[in-house]
Amino acid sequence: MHLNRSLSQAEIQQLEAVVLPFNRQLEAIADSYVAEIRGAQERLWAEQRYEVESRAITEGVDAPSEPGLSVHEYPGWRVSYRLTRDEFPKIRDFDERIKQLKWERLSNVQAAMRGF
């Protein structure tokens, strides 16, 4: 859009080559992130750090939307637990690394496109 023209196939391939290493790193981090979340959920469950409430009490009330809060609803009951970044520093570290990689990827794309 900023070029006021379509990209050529060669330019598209050049951009794909620029973003590929960043995307691979982001995919690896995403896999680690998901594994860390699963592990955190398993620890919370094993430590019984969740709440169970009857849906009769909360009928018609939407599940609250708060950072780190996970709510699972089943017929007649609701289970909720909270994952905080302070408790799980690896998750916070993953978030920071993801932001950094996305910024670096964008910067590299912009630099490549200045040459078009």
Side-chain angles (χ1 to χ4, degrees):
M1 187 168 72
H2 298 288
L3 295 174
N4 294 322
R5 66 173 176 83
S6 297
L7 294 175
S8 70
Q9 190 60 38
E11 291 168 332
I12 291 171
Q13 289 174 344
Q14 183 180 350
L15 290 175
E16 288 173 346
V18 167
V19 301
L20 183 63
F22 294 100
N23 289 348
R24 285 190 177 146
Q25 289 179 67
L26 287 164
E27 288 172 7
I29 291 170
D31 291 342
S32 297
Y33 190 99
V34 168
E36 184 66 21
I37 294 288
R38 282 192 185 126
Q41 289 169 328
E42 289 170 5
R43 285 190 299 276
L44 289 174
W45 191 261
E47 296 167 4
Q48 297 183 350
R49 293 174 46 202
Y50 52 87
E51 294 181 21
V52 179
E53 55 188 331
S54 168
R55 285 284 291 146
I57 296 171
T58 58
E59 200 67 46
V61 177
D62 289 334
S65 177
E66 300 172 27
L69 180 65
S70 186
V71 178
H72 303 274
E73 295 190 8
Y74 304 93
W77 53 291
R78 173 187 288 176
V79 177
S80 62
Y81 57 88
R82 182 177 311 280
L83 291 175
T84 64
R85 282 171 167 43
D86 292 338
E87 255 184 300
F88 302 100
K90 282 186 178 180
I91 294 171
R92 185 179 55 238
D93 294 343
F94 290 144
D95 285 340
E96 291 303 315
R97 185 67 180 133
I98 288 168
K99 286 178 194 174
Q100 179 185 1
L101 283 169
K102 285 182 173 182
W103 183 88
E104 290 175 14
R105 181 180 62 187
L106 177 60
S107 295
N108 280 273
V109 166
Q110 290 172 334
M113 290 185 75
R114 280 193 285 276
F116 294 167

